[in-house]
Amino acid sequence: MNTLVKLDHGWISFTLRQPWAPATTASKLSTLPPEPVIPSKKPFKVELVGGKCYSWCTCGHSRKQPFCDGAHKFKAQGLSPLRFVPEKDATVWLCGCKHTNNPPYCDGTHKQDFITSAPLHEPADS
Ligand code: FES
């Protein structure tokens, strides 16, 4: 029987061993990366500079949306920012819901029910 338990920094999946089962079927331990929180249900319009490196927040905890401020190191270990360099200057829409299928760009996923009905993440004061 597989059991999934959510901890502060992610999920742990394990198998409970029946007391009468042989030791060779002992518990399997694995971790899954944390799910991103939703800091915005709309994309961010951003003017990018060609050749400049940007770090798009993938965890949703950054206070500098849509860009990374390092919050994933404490609040979403296992996730890291997406670094990208645009070829030329451009005005783009960067995803704010963190569930796009074309990161870092908005693909309209924020209009789906699982985003519109989900709670919006409010950053803690500290
Ligand atoms: S804001 Fe995430 S897909 Fe549009």
Side-chain angles (χ1 to χ4, degrees), residues 40-43 94-100 106-110:
S40 172
K41 295 185 181 183
K42 294 180 180 176
L94 296 182
C95 173
C97 74
K98 309 304 176 186
H99 286 77
T100 179
C106 172
D107 70 352
T109 298
H110 65 271

Side-chain angles (χ1 to χ4, degrees), residues 7 11-12 22 24 29-30 37 40 43 46 50 55 60 63-64 70 72 80 89 94 96 99-100 104 118 126:
L7 303 176
W11 292 87
I12 291 182
T24 55
L29 189 63
S30 65
V37 295
S40 172
V46 178
S55 294
R63 291 173 176 267
K64 293 171 45 181
H72 63 279
S80 55
D89 293 3
L94 296 182
H99 286 77
T100 179
S126 57

Side-chain angles (χ1 to χ4, degrees), residues 23-40:
T24 55
T25 60
S27 303
K28 280 192 312 188
L29 189 63
S30 65
T31 58
L32 299 172
E35 284 289 314
V37 295
I38 301 172
S40 172

